[in-house]
Amino acid sequence: MFLVTLKDILDDAQKKGYAVGAFNTNNMEIVQAIVESAEEEKAPVILQASQGALRYAGIEYIVAMVKASLQKVTVPVVLHLDHGTSFAQNMLCIRHGFSSVMYDGSKLPLEENIAATARVVEVAHAVGVSVEGELGKIGGTEDDVTVDEREALFTSPEEAERFVSESGVDALAVAIGTAHGPYKGEPKLDFERLQKIKQRVQIPLVLHGASGVPAESIRRAIELGVCKINIDTEIRQAFNRAVRKFTAENPNVYDPRKILGPAKEAMKTVIKEKMRLFGCAGKA
Ligand code: G3H
Ligand code: 13P
Ligand code: ZN
């Protein structure tokens, strides 16, 4: 298989009403866990790397590991930049072979976000790479903001319509009540807002901060037009729990392969569960 773009897989998801899982990777075990899960579940899949992941592993390693994994799979795989906050970062990923990028201009005023995103879209589309944009601020659970303050940062349906038509993005990340990182209480999603956005925007919508969001809310979000769902935190938690458990139970084992093997299996359990919940299992 070769890498495909968001458009290649999200059109089908949109037509048939399911979402494709986008899982964050930082190292070899996570790449393997994601790709093996996709192959075993027969699911199209998006592997994404954040700027932090690229700093940690090195862009060459991330690209090489994902490309190596393609030799073993039959399902479609996207390699996507997650939250690229500069033009240069997006260009670097395109040059290194990413099939998809995200320009995150959510901290910019609307006009500037549109202009900067459109600039990335022009180059990316010229070389067959898809682009995700973000409007509204998703933020993290660690951000010290009240519910009212967070709601003020949610995506406006009117602005979303303008952002999509003027920037030319292939997918839009929306802020409707989710946040990155672990939730303290149960996240409450603004489905009415999501519905209004969907009425004005034809492209696939993206749900960030989906770790810890109850299954019922995920299903509703998919019904209302979400076609790409981002999961990072729950993978990290599964990895962490498995490493701690193994080292606590086997204090004398020092072989990294023995420690990381169970962690990979634990991550696969989480990833496969998400693929079934999102409805992408069996769609490749
Ligand atoms: O959007 C946030 C992702 O979970 C990536 O997190 O920047 O720590 O790699 P990171
Ligand atoms: P979580 O922190 O909820 O896993 O969200 C990940 C994400 O949105 C990556 O862009
Ligand atoms: Zn995100």
Side-chain angles (χ1 to χ4, degrees):
M1 277 303 280
F2 44 87
L3 290 172
V4 300
T5 67
L6 283 188
K7 204 173 163 30
D8 290 329
I9 56 173
L10 296 188
D11 277 356
D12 188 66
Q14 196 171 35
K15 223 178 295 151
K16 298 187 182 146
Y18 64 92
V20 178
F23 303 98
N24 284 71
T25 186
N26 295 278
N27 67 13
M28 184 187 76
E29 283 75 14
I30 309 178
V31 169
Q32 291 175 337
I34 298 167
V35 171
E36 287 173 23
S37 298
E39 188 64 18
E40 287 163 28
E41 291 296 323
K42 293 281 161 263
V45 73
I46 300 158
L47 283 96
Q48 53 187 17
S50 69
Q51 294 175 152
L54 297 174
R55 272 194 302 277
Y56 171 76
I59 192 166
E60 296 83 0
Y61 278 87
I62 293 286
V63 172
M65 288 189 293
V66 173
K67 289 207 168 154
S69 77
L70 297 180
Q71 294 173 21
K72 294 201 162 191
V73 296
T74 56
V75 298
V77 175
V78 177
L79 174 56
H80 178 74
L81 167 65
D82 189 30
H83 295 285
T85 51
S86 71
F87 179 77
Q89 179 70 75
N90 276 264
M91 294 306 110
L92 197 65
C93 287
I94 292 172
R95 180 162 83 89
H96 278 274
F98 279 56
S99 57
S100 185
V101 290
M102 173 183 189
Y103 178 74
D104 178 355
S106 59
K107 288 198 172 68
L108 302 171
L110 178 65
E111 304 286 339
E112 286 175 42
N113 189 1
I114 292 174
T117 307
R119 193 166 162 234
V120 171
V121 169
E122 187 183 356
V123 181
H125 283 183
V127 291
V129 168
S130 52
V131 183
E132 174 182 340
E134 177 173 329
L135 186 66
K137 293 191 186 68
I138 293 156
T141 51
E142 73 287 358
D143 294 347
D144 204 12
V145 292
T146 64
V147 174
D148 284 355
E149 282 167 343
R150 198 180 287 290
E151 274 180 23
L153 307 174
F154 283 4
T155 309
S156 138
E158 294 78 22
E159 289 183 3
E161 182 175 6
R162 191 172 154 216
F163 179 84
V164 168
S165 81
E166 293 183 20
S167 69
V169 286
D170 304 287
L172 177 69
V174 291
I176 55 160
T178 57
H180 296 112
Y183 291 97
K184 286 170 198 117
E186 193 177 295
K188 296 261 169 302
L189 275 59
D190 187 344
F191 292 118
E192 219 173 288
R193 181 180 297 268
L194 181 58
Q195 195 157 27
K196 286 192 186 136
I197 297 170
K198 187 64 213 159
Q199 281 160 3
R200 290 171 172 263
V201 163
Q202 270 69 55
I203 60 170
L205 302 176
V206 183
L207 190 68
H208 284 241
S211 291
V213 174
E216 227 13 80
S217 299
I218 293 286
R219 284 191 204 102
R220 184 93 187 103
I222 295 171
E223 276 168 21
L224 295 174
V226 165
C227 298
K228 171 177 181 278
I229 303 185
N230 289 10
I231 298 285
D232 186 359
T233 299
E234 282 192 60
I235 298 176
R236 295 176 177 192
Q237 289 169 329
F239 178 95
N240 189 34
R241 267 195 309 271
V243 168
R244 283 173 195 271
K245 181 170 184 290
F246 184 86
T247 49
E249 288 170 0
N250 304 276
N252 299 322
V253 176
Y254 54 85
D255 182 341
R257 296 169 298 187
K258 297 213 166 82
I259 300 168
L260 296 178
K264 181 174 126 184
E265 290 312 311
M267 293 189 285
K268 283 179 72 174
T269 303
V270 169
I271 295 164
K272 288 175 161 200
E273 232 174 69
K274 297 295 177 192
M275 287 171 164
R276 288 180 215 136
L277 171 63
F278 300 166
C280 58
K283 297 295 196 306

PDB file of all heavy atoms in Angstrom, residues 24 50 82-83 180 232 236, ligand 1:
ATOM      1  N   ASN A  24      -2.551   9.457  17.515  1.00  0.00           N
ATOM      2  CA  ASN A  24      -1.239  10.116  17.604  1.00  0.00           C
ATOM      3  C   ASN A  24      -0.127   9.112  17.870  1.00  0.00           C
ATOM      4  O   ASN A  24      -0.269   8.224  18.704  1.00  0.00           O
ATOM      5  CB  ASN A  24      -1.249  11.161  18.721  1.00  0.00           C
ATOM      6  CG  ASN A  24      -1.995  12.406  18.318  1.00  0.00           C
ATOM      7  OD1 ASN A  24      -3.217  12.384  18.202  1.00  0.00           O
ATOM      8  ND2 ASN A  24      -1.277  13.483  18.078  1.00  0.00           N
ATOM      9  N   SER A  50       2.262  15.082  16.123  1.00  0.00           N
ATOM     10  CA  SER A  50       2.223  16.490  16.537  1.00  0.00           C
ATOM     11  C   SER A  50       3.626  17.086  16.365  1.00  0.00           C
ATOM     12  O   SER A  50       4.602  16.353  16.142  1.00  0.00           O
ATOM     13  CB  SER A  50       1.808  16.592  18.007  1.00  0.00           C
ATOM     14  OG  SER A  50       2.854  16.068  18.824  1.00  0.00           O
ATOM     15  N   ASP A  82      -0.425  16.806  12.928  1.00  0.00           N
ATOM     16  CA  ASP A  82      -1.451  17.234  13.883  1.00  0.00           C
ATOM     17  C   ASP A  82      -1.077  18.603  14.470  1.00  0.00           C
ATOM     18  O   ASP A  82       0.022  18.767  15.019  1.00  0.00           O
ATOM     19  CB  ASP A  82      -1.521  16.171  15.002  1.00  0.00           C
ATOM     20  CG  ASP A  82      -2.685  16.383  15.946  1.00  0.00           C
ATOM     21  OD1 ASP A  82      -3.726  16.908  15.513  1.00  0.00           O
ATOM     22  OD2 ASP A  82      -2.550  15.995  17.134  1.00  0.00           O
ATOM     23  N   HIS A  83      -1.949  19.579  14.347  1.00  0.00           N
ATOM     24  CA  HIS A  83      -1.740  20.922  14.914  1.00  0.00           C
ATOM     25  C   HIS A  83      -0.421  21.568  14.490  1.00  0.00           C
ATOM     26  O   HIS A  83       0.386  21.974  15.340  1.00  0.00           O
ATOM     27  CB  HIS A  83      -1.800  20.902  16.453  1.00  0.00           C
ATOM     28  CG  HIS A  83      -3.128  20.532  17.017  1.00  0.00           C
ATOM     29  ND1 HIS A  83      -4.204  21.391  17.025  1.00  0.00           N
ATOM     30  CD2 HIS A  83      -3.560  19.376  17.578  1.00  0.00           C
ATOM     31  CE1 HIS A  83      -5.243  20.778  17.582  1.00  0.00           C
ATOM     32  NE2 HIS A  83      -4.884  19.546  17.917  1.00  0.00           N
ATOM     33  N   HIS A 180      -8.263  18.722  24.900  1.00  0.00           N
ATOM     34  CA  HIS A 180      -7.163  17.748  24.899  1.00  0.00           C
ATOM     35  C   HIS A 180      -6.828  17.326  26.331  1.00  0.00           C
ATOM     36  O   HIS A 180      -6.990  18.117  27.250  1.00  0.00           O
ATOM     37  CB  HIS A 180      -5.916  18.372  24.259  1.00  0.00           C
ATOM     38  CG  HIS A 180      -6.095  18.728  22.818  1.00  0.00           C
ATOM     39  ND1 HIS A 180      -6.128  20.014  22.359  1.00  0.00           N
ATOM     40  CD2 HIS A 180      -6.261  17.945  21.731  1.00  0.00           C
ATOM     41  CE1 HIS A 180      -6.289  20.019  21.041  1.00  0.00           C
ATOM     42  NE2 HIS A 180      -6.390  18.775  20.627  1.00  0.00           N
ATOM     43  N   ASP A 232      -5.381  10.530  21.436  1.00  0.00           N
ATOM     44  CA  ASP A 232      -3.994  10.463  21.881  1.00  0.00           C
ATOM     45  C   ASP A 232      -3.931  10.032  23.352  1.00  0.00           C
ATOM     46  O   ASP A 232      -3.330   9.016  23.707  1.00  0.00           O
ATOM     47  CB  ASP A 232      -3.329  11.847  21.698  1.00  0.00           C
ATOM     48  CG  ASP A 232      -1.839  11.809  21.996  1.00  0.00           C
ATOM     49  OD1 ASP A 232      -1.323  10.735  22.360  1.00  0.00           O
ATOM     50  OD2 ASP A 232      -1.174  12.852  21.884  1.00  0.00           O
ATOM     51  N   ARG A 236      -1.831   6.973  25.420  1.00  0.00           N
ATOM     52  CA  ARG A 236      -0.761   7.235  26.386  1.00  0.00           C
ATOM     53  C   ARG A 236      -1.082   6.570  27.729  1.00  0.00           C
ATOM     54  O   ARG A 236      -0.204   5.999  28.380  1.00  0.00           O
ATOM     55  CB  ARG A 236      -0.622   8.741  26.626  1.00  0.00           C
ATOM     56  CG  ARG A 236      -0.166   9.501  25.418  1.00  0.00           C
ATOM     57  CD  ARG A 236      -0.140  10.987  25.710  1.00  0.00           C
ATOM     58  NE  ARG A 236       0.366  11.712  24.559  1.00  0.00           N
ATOM     59  CZ  ARG A 236       0.721  12.987  24.582  1.00  0.00           C
ATOM     60  NH1 ARG A 236       0.624  13.687  25.678  1.00  0.00           N
ATOM     61  NH2 ARG A 236       1.181  13.568  23.496  1.00  0.00           N
TER      62      ARG A 236
HETATM   63  O1  G3H B   1      -3.280  17.848  20.327  1.00  0.00           O
HETATM   64  C1  G3H B   1      -2.609  17.310  21.180  1.00  0.00           C
HETATM   65  C2  G3H B   1      -2.062  15.955  20.973  1.00  0.00           C
HETATM   66  O2  G3H B   1      -2.510  15.125  22.024  1.00  0.00           O
HETATM   67  C3  G3H B   1      -0.563  15.986  20.854  1.00  0.00           C
HETATM   68  O3  G3H B   1       0.026  16.251  22.082  1.00  0.00           O
HETATM   69  O4  G3H B   1       1.687  18.039  21.595  1.00  0.00           O
HETATM   70  O5  G3H B   1       1.929  16.534  23.596  1.00  0.00           O
HETATM   71  O6  G3H B   1       2.336  15.657  21.284  1.00  0.00           O
HETATM   72  P1  G3H B   1       1.600  16.659  22.134  1.00  0.00           P
END
